[in-house]
Amino acid sequence: MLEKKEDALYEQLRAIVSDMKNLRNPLIEILHQAQKLFGYLPMEVQRFVAEELEIPVNKVYGVVTFYNAFTMKPRGKYVINVCTGTACYVKGAPRIIQMLSEILDVELGETTEDGIFTVTAVRCVGACSLAPVFMVEEETFGRIETRKQLQEIISNYRQKV
Ligand code: FES
């Protein structure tokens, strides 16, 4: 079953590459699409893209490791992006990170054992008046101060799984 799902993803990726390969500098956009499909960019996916584009795999690897937007590690179903821009930092981002680490038992950049959450840090997300801010996927949370508030948000997301 898993293999079938993987095969289907590779077929979709093949179609994406073939649609985009004649664009000027298609690699970054193709990698974004690949990451959307697979959730991350393991070496097998990078090799596949390199073969389809007929370019060296080192070139693909170079781009994947250069841009923060790309990851070679699997991410959780929900990525929690904690803003560590200046306003949020001053208003308690380190404490939010600390509490999330304790609640989810992960360090920054890691994914929970059940694969549901990944905690990462991002720069200013443009909602400084709500500092400290974090985002779960597209949803923004601001002025969260207590562990209880955080726990409620986490458990709401857990219930959606
Ligand atoms: S510094 Fe966090 S939203 Fe601007």
Side-chain angles (χ1 to χ4, degrees), residues 39 74-81 100 103-106 109-120 135-137 151 153-161:
R75 291 198 177 190
K77 182 170 173 52
Y78 299 114
V79 178
I80 304 177
N81 285 312
L100 282 171
I103 294 168
L104 297 170
D105 197 20
V106 289
E110 289 181 352
T111 299
T112 52
E113 253 183 48
D114 57 11
I116 298 177
F117 297 103
T118 300
V119 182
T120 64
M135 296 183 72
V136 185
E137 299 297 317
Q151 272 164 334
I153 292 166
I154 298 287
S155 73
N156 285 343
Y157 273 93
R158 272 199 202 286
Q159 279 165 20
K160 291 188 197 177
V161 177

mmCIF file of all heavy atoms in Angstrom, residues 39 74-81 100 103-106 109-120 135-137 151 153-161:
data_model
loop_
_atom_site.group_PDB
_atom_site.id
_atom_site.type_symbol
_atom_site.label_atom_id
_atom_site.label_comp_id
_atom_site.label_asym_id
_atom_site.label_seq_id
_atom_site.Cartn_x
_atom_site.Cartn_y
_atom_site.Cartn_z
ATOM 1 N N GLY A 39 6.404 16.051 1.571
ATOM 2 C CA GLY A 39 6.555 16.577 2.929
ATOM 3 C C GLY A 39 7.989 16.930 3.264
ATOM 4 O O GLY A 39 8.259 17.665 4.183
ATOM 5 N N PRO A 74 11.809 14.371 7.537
ATOM 6 C CA PRO A 74 10.345 14.408 7.492
ATOM 7 C C PRO A 74 9.796 15.409 8.501
ATOM 8 O O PRO A 74 10.327 15.513 9.599
ATOM 9 C CB PRO A 74 9.922 12.985 7.870
ATOM 10 C CG PRO A 74 11.149 12.225 8.130
ATOM 11 C CD PRO A 74 12.345 13.086 7.937
ATOM 12 N N ARG A 75 8.791 16.136 8.096
ATOM 13 C CA ARG A 75 8.148 17.077 9.023
ATOM 14 C C ARG A 75 6.836 16.498 9.493
ATOM 15 O O ARG A 75 6.247 15.651 8.826
ATOM 16 C CB ARG A 75 7.879 18.397 8.311
ATOM 17 C CG ARG A 75 9.153 19.120 8.015
ATOM 18 C CD ARG A 75 8.885 20.574 7.729
ATOM 19 N NE ARG A 75 10.152 21.248 7.529
ATOM 20 C CZ ARG A 75 10.293 22.546 7.438
ATOM 21 N NH1 ARG A 75 9.252 23.326 7.525
ATOM 22 N NH2 ARG A 75 11.472 23.081 7.266
ATOM 23 N N GLY A 76 6.383 17.025 10.630
ATOM 24 C CA GLY A 76 5.123 16.555 11.171
ATOM 25 C C GLY A 76 3.954 17.040 10.326
ATOM 26 O O GLY A 76 4.113 17.882 9.434
ATOM 27 N N LYS A 77 2.788 16.504 10.638
ATOM 28 C CA LYS A 77 1.592 16.920 9.898
ATOM 29 C C LYS A 77 1.366 18.422 10.075
ATOM 30 O O LYS A 77 0.984 19.105 9.156
ATOM 31 C CB LYS A 77 0.396 16.136 10.452
ATOM 32 C CG LYS A 77 -0.906 16.414 9.767
ATOM 33 C CD LYS A 77 -1.943 15.412 10.228
ATOM 34 C CE LYS A 77 -3.336 15.712 9.720
ATOM 35 N NZ LYS A 77 -3.472 15.908 8.314
ATOM 36 N N TYR A 78 1.629 18.919 11.291
ATOM 37 C CA TYR A 78 1.498 20.347 11.553
ATOM 38 C C TYR A 78 2.856 20.933 11.926
ATOM 39 O O TYR A 78 3.513 20.450 12.847
ATOM 40 C CB TYR A 78 0.524 20.601 12.708
ATOM 41 C CG TYR A 78 -0.861 20.101 12.433
ATOM 42 C CD1 TYR A 78 -1.395 19.066 13.179
ATOM 43 C CD2 TYR A 78 -1.635 20.661 11.412
ATOM 44 C CE1 TYR A 78 -2.677 18.591 12.924
ATOM 45 C CE2 TYR A 78 -2.908 20.188 11.148
ATOM 46 C CZ TYR A 78 -3.420 19.162 11.906
ATOM 47 O OH TYR A 78 -4.684 18.691 11.645
ATOM 48 N N VAL A 79 3.251 21.980 11.202
ATOM 49 C CA VAL A 79 4.512 22.646 11.535
ATOM 50 C C VAL A 79 4.185 23.884 12.364
ATOM 51 O O VAL A 79 3.379 24.729 11.960
ATOM 52 C CB VAL A 79 5.284 23.048 10.257
ATOM 53 C CG1 VAL A 79 6.560 23.785 10.627
ATOM 54 C CG2 VAL A 79 5.600 21.809 9.431
ATOM 55 N N ILE A 80 4.786 23.945 13.550
ATOM 56 C CA ILE A 80 4.586 25.113 14.421
ATOM 57 C C ILE A 80 5.782 26.031 14.216
ATOM 58 O O ILE A 80 6.918 25.685 14.555
ATOM 59 C CB ILE A 80 4.512 24.686 15.906
ATOM 60 C CG1 ILE A 80 3.407 23.650 16.099
ATOM 61 C CG2 ILE A 80 4.293 25.903 16.801
ATOM 62 C CD1 ILE A 80 3.313 23.107 17.523
ATOM 63 N N ASN A 81 5.524 27.183 13.612
ATOM 64 C CA ASN A 81 6.593 28.133 13.353
ATOM 65 C C ASN A 81 6.552 29.219 14.422
ATOM 66 O O ASN A 81 5.640 30.052 14.435
ATOM 67 C CB ASN A 81 6.407 28.787 11.977
ATOM 68 C CG ASN A 81 6.781 27.837 10.864
ATOM 69 O OD1 ASN A 81 7.841 27.215 10.898
ATOM 70 N ND2 ASN A 81 5.918 27.720 9.873
ATOM 71 N N LEU A 100 6.877 24.803 24.454
ATOM 72 C CA LEU A 100 6.532 23.834 23.405
ATOM 73 C C LEU A 100 7.439 22.609 23.491
ATOM 74 O O LEU A 100 6.987 21.477 23.327
ATOM 75 C CB LEU A 100 6.659 24.475 22.011
ATOM 76 C CG LEU A 100 5.515 25.397 21.600
ATOM 77 C CD1 LEU A 100 5.865 26.126 20.310
ATOM 78 C CD2 LEU A 100 4.217 24.605 21.416
ATOM 79 N N ILE A 103 6.153 20.547 26.386
ATOM 80 C CA ILE A 103 4.845 19.910 26.146
ATOM 81 C C ILE A 103 4.977 18.778 25.115
ATOM 82 O O ILE A 103 4.397 17.704 25.256
ATOM 83 C CB ILE A 103 3.815 20.960 25.643
ATOM 84 C CG1 ILE A 103 3.522 21.974 26.753
ATOM 85 C CG2 ILE A 103 2.525 20.281 25.178
ATOM 86 C CD1 ILE A 103 2.748 23.191 26.275
ATOM 87 N N LEU A 104 5.766 19.040 24.059
ATOM 88 C CA LEU A 104 5.824 18.067 22.953
ATOM 89 C C LEU A 104 7.030 17.131 23.039
ATOM 90 O O LEU A 104 7.168 16.215 22.228
ATOM 91 C CB LEU A 104 5.862 18.819 21.604
ATOM 92 C CG LEU A 104 4.619 19.652 21.297
ATOM 93 C CD1 LEU A 104 4.859 20.533 20.082
ATOM 94 C CD2 LEU A 104 3.420 18.745 21.052
ATOM 95 N N ASP A 105 7.919 17.420 23.988
ATOM 96 C CA ASP A 105 9.124 16.608 24.161
ATOM 97 C C ASP A 105 9.997 16.588 22.904
ATOM 98 O O ASP A 105 10.399 15.515 22.412
ATOM 99 C CB ASP A 105 8.715 15.176 24.574
ATOM 100 C CG ASP A 105 9.897 14.426 25.164
ATOM 101 O OD1 ASP A 105 10.852 15.087 25.597
ATOM 102 O OD2 ASP A 105 9.866 13.181 25.159
ATOM 103 N N VAL A 106 10.205 17.761 22.315
ATOM 104 C CA VAL A 106 11.108 17.895 21.162
ATOM 105 C C VAL A 106 11.960 19.143 21.333
ATOM 106 O O VAL A 106 11.572 20.070 22.046
ATOM 107 C CB VAL A 106 10.349 18.041 19.822
ATOM 108 C CG1 VAL A 106 9.687 16.759 19.404
ATOM 109 C CG2 VAL A 106 9.359 19.188 19.869
ATOM 110 N N GLY A 109 13.298 22.410 15.779
ATOM 111 C CA GLY A 109 13.716 21.748 14.536
ATOM 112 C C GLY A 109 13.346 20.276 14.494
ATOM 113 O O GLY A 109 13.491 19.634 13.462
ATOM 114 N N GLU A 110 12.847 19.749 15.619
ATOM 115 C CA GLU A 110 12.525 18.317 15.636
ATOM 116 C C GLU A 110 11.026 18.061 15.453
ATOM 117 O O GLU A 110 10.203 18.963 15.609
ATOM 118 C CB GLU A 110 12.964 17.712 16.971
ATOM 119 C CG GLU A 110 14.468 17.609 17.092
ATOM 120 C CD GLU A 110 14.892 16.980 18.416
ATOM 121 O OE1 GLU A 110 14.050 16.761 19.309
ATOM 122 O OE2 GLU A 110 16.086 16.723 18.545
ATOM 123 N N THR A 111 10.744 16.796 15.175
ATOM 124 C CA THR A 111 9.362 16.354 14.983
ATOM 125 C C THR A 111 8.984 15.390 16.104
ATOM 126 O O THR A 111 9.821 14.584 16.529
ATOM 127 C CB THR A 111 9.236 15.646 13.619
ATOM 128 O OG1 THR A 111 9.585 16.595 12.603
ATOM 129 C CG2 THR A 111 7.830 15.129 13.351
ATOM 130 N N THR A 112 7.753 15.492 16.569
ATOM 131 C CA THR A 112 7.321 14.605 17.655
ATOM 132 C C THR A 112 7.328 13.141 17.190
ATOM 133 O O THR A 112 7.208 12.881 15.988
ATOM 134 C CB THR A 112 5.889 14.969 18.127
ATOM 135 O OG1 THR A 112 5.036 15.001 16.979
ATOM 136 C CG2 THR A 112 5.859 16.312 18.805
ATOM 137 N N GLU A 113 7.453 12.255 18.138
ATOM 138 C CA GLU A 113 7.560 10.822 17.793
ATOM 139 C C GLU A 113 6.355 10.318 17.020
ATOM 140 O O GLU A 113 6.485 9.456 16.158
ATOM 141 C CB GLU A 113 7.723 10.012 19.078
ATOM 142 C CG GLU A 113 9.138 9.508 19.210
ATOM 143 C CD GLU A 113 9.286 8.645 20.444
ATOM 144 O OE1 GLU A 113 8.449 7.753 20.671
ATOM 145 O OE2 GLU A 113 10.247 8.912 21.169
ATOM 146 N N ASP A 114 5.184 10.891 17.319
ATOM 147 C CA ASP A 114 3.985 10.430 16.607
ATOM 148 C C ASP A 114 3.845 11.104 15.232
ATOM 149 O O ASP A 114 2.876 10.876 14.514
ATOM 150 C CB ASP A 114 2.728 10.694 17.455
ATOM 151 C CG ASP A 114 2.594 12.170 17.828
ATOM 152 O OD1 ASP A 114 3.321 13.008 17.284
ATOM 153 O OD2 ASP A 114 1.749 12.476 18.695
ATOM 154 N N GLY A 115 4.834 11.950 14.860
ATOM 155 C CA GLY A 115 4.826 12.555 13.516
ATOM 156 C C GLY A 115 3.776 13.640 13.355
ATOM 157 O O GLY A 115 3.482 14.043 12.232
ATOM 158 N N ILE A 116 3.219 14.143 14.442
ATOM 159 C CA ILE A 116 2.150 15.148 14.273
ATOM 160 C C ILE A 116 2.687 16.581 14.221
ATOM 161 O O ILE A 116 2.238 17.390 13.424
ATOM 162 C CB ILE A 116 1.093 15.006 15.390
ATOM 163 C CG1 ILE A 116 0.443 13.617 15.289
ATOM 164 C CG2 ILE A 116 0.023 16.086 15.273
ATOM 165 C CD1 ILE A 116 -0.564 13.320 16.366
ATOM 166 N N PHE A 117 3.674 16.897 15.078
ATOM 167 C CA PHE A 117 4.137 18.287 15.141
ATOM 168 C C PHE A 117 5.639 18.411 14.877
ATOM 169 O O PHE A 117 6.431 17.580 15.347
ATOM 170 C CB PHE A 117 3.871 18.886 16.533
ATOM 171 C CG PHE A 117 2.430 18.977 16.889
ATOM 172 C CD1 PHE A 117 1.864 18.058 17.757
ATOM 173 C CD2 PHE A 117 1.632 19.984 16.370
ATOM 174 C CE1 PHE A 117 0.520 18.131 18.104
ATOM 175 C CE2 PHE A 117 0.283 20.074 16.709
ATOM 176 C CZ PHE A 117 -0.267 19.141 17.578
ATOM 177 N N THR A 118 5.998 19.469 14.153
ATOM 178 C CA THR A 118 7.399 19.873 14.048
ATOM 179 C C THR A 118 7.472 21.299 14.574
ATOM 180 O O THR A 118 6.592 22.116 14.247
ATOM 181 C CB THR A 118 7.878 19.858 12.581
ATOM 182 O OG1 THR A 118 7.730 18.540 12.066
ATOM 183 C CG2 THR A 118 9.336 20.296 12.455
ATOM 184 N N VAL A 119 8.471 21.591 15.381
ATOM 185 C CA VAL A 119 8.601 22.952 15.913
ATOM 186 C C VAL A 119 9.805 23.618 15.257
ATOM 187 O O VAL A 119 10.916 23.080 15.295
ATOM 188 C CB VAL A 119 8.801 22.940 17.445
ATOM 189 C CG1 VAL A 119 8.890 24.368 17.977
ATOM 190 C CG2 VAL A 119 7.668 22.198 18.131
ATOM 191 N N THR A 120 9.573 24.759 14.629
ATOM 192 C CA THR A 120 10.692 25.479 14.010
ATOM 193 C C THR A 120 10.598 26.964 14.382
ATOM 194 O O THR A 120 9.574 27.426 14.876
ATOM 195 C CB THR A 120 10.669 25.379 12.468
ATOM 196 O OG1 THR A 120 9.498 26.029 12.007
ATOM 197 C CG2 THR A 120 10.679 23.948 11.985
ATOM 198 N N MET A 135 2.839 30.383 14.472
ATOM 199 C CA MET A 135 1.860 29.939 13.491
ATOM 200 C C MET A 135 1.823 28.423 13.467
ATOM 201 O O MET A 135 2.864 27.774 13.569
ATOM 202 C CB MET A 135 2.218 30.453 12.101
ATOM 203 C CG MET A 135 2.161 31.956 12.011
ATOM 204 S SD MET A 135 2.498 32.542 10.351
ATOM 205 C CE MET A 135 0.981 32.068 9.507
ATOM 206 N N VAL A 136 0.627 27.887 13.343
ATOM 207 C CA VAL A 136 0.499 26.457 13.090
ATOM 208 C C VAL A 136 -0.083 26.388 11.682
ATOM 209 O O VAL A 136 -1.211 26.815 11.458
ATOM 210 C CB VAL A 136 -0.434 25.765 14.093
ATOM 211 C CG1 VAL A 136 -0.440 24.257 13.856
ATOM 212 C CG2 VAL A 136 -0.012 26.077 15.522
ATOM 213 N N GLU A 137 0.762 25.929 10.756
ATOM 214 C CA GLU A 137 0.416 25.997 9.337
ATOM 215 C C GLU A 137 0.043 27.453 9.011
ATOM 216 O O GLU A 137 0.818 28.330 9.252
ATOM 217 C CB GLU A 137 -0.706 24.998 8.991
ATOM 218 C CG GLU A 137 -0.296 23.552 9.254
ATOM 219 C CD GLU A 137 0.874 23.078 8.405
ATOM 220 O OE1 GLU A 137 0.906 23.376 7.208
ATOM 221 O OE2 GLU A 137 1.779 22.404 8.938
ATOM 222 N N GLN A 151 -1.218 24.362 25.669
ATOM 223 C CA GLN A 151 -1.699 22.976 25.697
ATOM 224 C C GLN A 151 -3.052 22.838 25.002
ATOM 225 O O GLN A 151 -3.299 21.878 24.293
ATOM 226 C CB GLN A 151 -1.797 22.480 27.148
ATOM 227 C CG GLN A 151 -0.476 21.894 27.583
ATOM 228 C CD GLN A 151 -0.359 21.741 29.087
ATOM 229 O OE1 GLN A 151 -0.999 22.461 29.847
ATOM 230 N NE2 GLN A 151 0.477 20.815 29.510
ATOM 231 N N ILE A 153 -4.220 24.707 22.551
ATOM 232 C CA ILE A 153 -4.024 24.806 21.097
ATOM 233 C C ILE A 153 -3.507 23.470 20.551
ATOM 234 O O ILE A 153 -4.008 22.949 19.559
ATOM 235 C CB ILE A 153 -3.040 25.955 20.766
ATOM 236 C CG1 ILE A 153 -3.695 27.287 21.115
ATOM 237 C CG2 ILE A 153 -2.626 25.924 19.301
ATOM 238 C CD1 ILE A 153 -2.753 28.468 21.167
ATOM 239 N N ILE A 154 -2.519 22.911 21.242
ATOM 240 C CA ILE A 154 -1.935 21.640 20.804
ATOM 241 C C ILE A 154 -3.014 20.537 20.790
ATOM 242 O O ILE A 154 -3.134 19.790 19.823
ATOM 243 C CB ILE A 154 -0.796 21.195 21.773
ATOM 244 C CG1 ILE A 154 0.326 22.221 21.784
ATOM 245 C CG2 ILE A 154 -0.287 19.795 21.422
ATOM 246 C CD1 ILE A 154 1.180 22.259 20.590
ATOM 247 N N SER A 155 -3.810 20.513 21.861
ATOM 248 C CA SER A 155 -4.767 19.404 21.885
ATOM 249 C C SER A 155 -5.875 19.603 20.854
ATOM 250 O O SER A 155 -6.382 18.642 20.301
ATOM 251 C CB SER A 155 -5.268 19.107 23.293
ATOM 252 O OG SER A 155 -6.123 20.106 23.682
ATOM 253 N N ASN A 156 -6.211 20.850 20.524
ATOM 254 C CA ASN A 156 -7.167 21.060 19.427
ATOM 255 C C ASN A 156 -6.643 20.498 18.121
ATOM 256 O O ASN A 156 -7.366 19.885 17.350
ATOM 257 C CB ASN A 156 -7.462 22.557 19.226
ATOM 258 C CG ASN A 156 -8.378 23.070 20.309
ATOM 259 O OD1 ASN A 156 -9.028 22.291 20.993
ATOM 260 N ND2 ASN A 156 -8.406 24.391 20.477
ATOM 261 N N TYR A 157 -5.350 20.720 17.867
ATOM 262 C CA TYR A 157 -4.768 20.177 16.623
ATOM 263 C C TYR A 157 -4.693 18.665 16.666
ATOM 264 O O TYR A 157 -4.918 18.000 15.669
ATOM 265 C CB TYR A 157 -3.390 20.793 16.359
ATOM 266 C CG TYR A 157 -3.515 22.076 15.588
ATOM 267 C CD1 TYR A 157 -3.582 23.284 16.246
ATOM 268 C CD2 TYR A 157 -3.636 22.075 14.196
ATOM 269 C CE1 TYR A 157 -3.751 24.472 15.561
ATOM 270 C CE2 TYR A 157 -3.795 23.250 13.491
ATOM 271 C CZ TYR A 157 -3.852 24.450 14.182
ATOM 272 O OH TYR A 157 -4.031 25.614 13.489
ATOM 273 N N ARG A 158 -4.373 18.141 17.839
ATOM 274 C CA ARG A 158 -4.312 16.663 17.946
ATOM 275 C C ARG A 158 -5.655 16.036 17.604
ATOM 276 O O ARG A 158 -5.729 14.993 16.979
ATOM 277 C CB ARG A 158 -3.936 16.254 19.369
ATOM 278 C CG ARG A 158 -2.461 16.177 19.591
ATOM 279 C CD ARG A 158 -2.148 15.353 20.825
ATOM 280 N NE ARG A 158 -0.840 15.656 21.360
ATOM 281 C CZ ARG A 158 0.295 15.262 20.801
ATOM 282 N NH1 ARG A 158 0.266 14.529 19.712
ATOM 283 N NH2 ARG A 158 1.455 15.600 21.331
ATOM 284 N N GLN A 159 -6.719 16.726 18.023
ATOM 285 C CA GLN A 159 -8.048 16.157 17.759
ATOM 286 C C GLN A 159 -8.406 16.162 16.274
ATOM 287 O O GLN A 159 -9.258 15.414 15.830
ATOM 288 C CB GLN A 159 -9.105 16.934 18.533
ATOM 289 C CG GLN A 159 -9.168 16.486 19.988
ATOM 290 C CD GLN A 159 -9.929 17.460 20.854
ATOM 291 O OE1 GLN A 159 -10.720 18.260 20.363
ATOM 292 N NE2 GLN A 159 -9.687 17.415 22.147
ATOM 293 N N LYS A 160 -7.724 17.028 15.518
ATOM 294 C CA LYS A 160 -8.030 17.085 14.079
ATOM 295 C C LYS A 160 -7.404 15.934 13.306
ATOM 296 O O LYS A 160 -7.742 15.695 12.166
ATOM 297 C CB LYS A 160 -7.490 18.386 13.476
ATOM 298 C CG LYS A 160 -8.192 19.624 13.929
ATOM 299 C CD LYS A 160 -7.681 20.790 13.112
ATOM 300 C CE LYS A 160 -8.022 22.120 13.759
ATOM 301 N NZ LYS A 160 -7.477 23.254 13.014
ATOM 302 N N VAL A 161 -6.400 15.273 13.925
ATOM 303 C CA VAL A 161 -5.651 14.238 13.184
ATOM 304 C C VAL A 161 -6.522 13.028 12.891
ATOM 305 O O VAL A 161 -7.275 12.594 13.734
ATOM 306 C CB VAL A 161 -4.410 13.798 14.008
ATOM 307 C CG1 VAL A 161 -3.671 12.688 13.277
ATOM 308 C CG2 VAL A 161 -3.505 14.978 14.229
#
